[in-house]
Structures are given as C-alpha cells and as structure tokens.
Amino acid sequence: MYNGVQPVSYIRERCVNNVFIDSGIEYFNKEGKSQTDRGTWHKLDSYNSIFTDPRLAHAMVYVLLGEPGYGKSTLALQYVYEWCNRCHDSPLKGVEMLIFLRLRYLKRGVSIFNAIKQSLLSSDSTLSDDDIANIIKSCKSVVIVFDGFDEYASQGDSSKDDVMKIIERKMFRKCKVVLTTRPSSKPPILAHKTEQVRLTGFDDQARERYILKAVVEGNSQAATTILRVRKI
C-alpha cells in the first residue's frame, strides 16, 4: 500500500512522495463567529501546519481549498503516504486510523460504511456496518480525508447523507476531517471547529524544486536547462 499512494492513477511507478512539493498555504482568520463574517488570510509555514499551528489547534474539520491544478489531491495523498509510512516528522504519525475516500467515486447518499467497503476493503471482506463502526469508535484517534467535495456536491443534494453528517460534525464527532474542494464548492454549512485553509500555488522557488524532484529526478543540470528555456 505504501507505494500504492499515487497522484496520477495511470502512472503506476510514481509514488506521491516522489512528486510532492510543499507550496504556499494559508488559513482564514475570521473576524467573528458567524459564517458570513469577514476575515483575512494568513500564511502558514508548511502543509503540516494545519495540524501543528497553535492557531488551528482547536479545529476538527479542515476545508482545504484550491483552484484546479493547485495540488489539493496530491497534498491529500501526501498525508496518506506519510501516515502509512509513519514518517517521523509527520503530525499524523501517531494517528491510529486514517480513512481516505475519493468522493468522485461515491454515489450521493451512500453510507460511510458502504463507502469504506467499496473503496478500502477487499471484495471478500465479511465486515458488517456494525463491525466498521465499532472499529472506528474503538480507535483513540481517527482522521478522515474526503478528497474532491466539489465533484461530489455536483451530483445534487447530499445534505442528508453520511458524508455531510461527518463534515457538519453530526457523525463521528471525535474524528478529525480533511476535506479538499474548489473555493466555489465549499460545504453549505461550516460547523463549529471548522477552519478554512487554501493553497496559493507555486512560486518560482517551488517550481524549481518540483522540476528538480519530479521532472528530472535530481539532475540539476537538466533542471537548469529547463528553467532557462522557460524564461526565454
């Protein structure tokens, strides 16, 4: 499973850790308590800061915003990779269970238990809904990653299904939730202890790191050539 965490499904040999680069990330500091209150965006040190920054320590739901191509899904997969490998500098290394679900593959209204069965368990698994619920409840710490809410929401009204109940903290309230989506497709209700975070894209330094790591795989001379051509 460790090397099965891939950012592009048809490139089987590329693990997400081989292409992931930490880019710009900010959190939204509201000026009031209502959803309509204005606020300002503040820079975070890194992608792991959403779990470690004291300003976000209270959060249980993280709505991770980003325009198409900004790396929302890649970041979500990087969290999964680091948890699977118990990376020493990952804030998720001590999490007992992490559940990753791509919402684009789920039908609207599906129960969270069926979603886990379809996406994560083998076809011959005998675990029942109650078994899965009891396993989740027995864990001391659980993180649920929902990737691609914008594609899920486009299917129609999903206000009464398990995905929305979890996002709105009406189900599995003790679980932390990371939700990726486009800014134009945020959940209609942001529950208490929900924080908004956004990816701001790659600056020049991040682009150079990406080319060196993911494109030319450490060949600095090739990276220099590519960057020189880009500037022409």
Side-chain angles (χ1 to χ4, degrees), residues 111-149:
S111 78
I112 189 64
F113 309 109
N114 279 332
I116 291 172
K117 288 179 184 178
Q118 294 171 14
S119 303
L120 303 177
L121 301 182
S122 61
S123 58
D124 59 352
S125 173
T126 59
L127 289 177
S128 66
D129 289 2
D130 287 341
D131 292 333
I132 296 172
N134 289 332
I135 291 171
I136 294 174
K137 291 177 181 178
S138 69
C139 292
K140 294 180 180 179
S141 55
V142 178
V143 172
I144 301 174
V145 180
F146 288 137
D147 182 40
F149 178 77

Side-chain angles (χ1 to χ4, degrees), residues 67-108:
E67 298 293 347
Y70 272 41
K72 301 182 297 296
S73 295
T74 302
L75 175 53
L77 287 172
Q78 183 67 17
Y79 287 136
V80 177
Y81 171 88
E82 293 184 1
W83 177 80
C84 286
N85 287 277
R86 293 293 190 264
C87 294
H88 72 279
D89 56 349
S90 171
L92 300 178
K93 64 179 181 294
V95 171
E96 193 167 351
M97 175 182 288
L98 187 147
I99 300 169
F100 174 77
L101 294 172
R102 282 192 170 103
L103 295 184
R104 73 173 72 173
Y105 298 127
L106 302 185
K107 292 183 179 180
R108 181 169 53 86

Side-chain angles (χ1 to χ4, degrees), residues 59 68 71 211 231:
I211 291 172
K231 294 178 181 179

Side-chain angles (χ1 to χ4, degrees), residues 179-220:
L179 172 76
T180 73
T181 189
R182 298 181 184 185
S184 59
S185 299
K186 291 190 295 185
I189 298 176
L190 298 180
H192 178 56
K193 295 188 177 181
T194 296
E195 292 292 342
Q196 298 180 68
V197 182
R198 72 177 180 185
L199 298 179
T200 58
F202 289 84
D203 58 18
D204 289 341
Q205 290 183 342
R207 290 190 188 95
E208 291 180 14
R209 293 199 306 272
Y210 177 80
I211 291 172
L212 183 62
K213 181 178 182 180
V215 179
V216 299
E217 299 182 345
N219 187 326
S220 58

Side-chain angles (χ1 to χ4, degrees), residues 1-7 14-17 76-78 80-81 84:
M1 178 177 178
Y2 302 155
N3 288 326
V5 182
Q6 299 149 339
R14 300 303 296 273
C15 172
V16 66
N17 194 53
L77 287 172
Q78 183 67 17
V80 177
Y81 171 88
C84 286

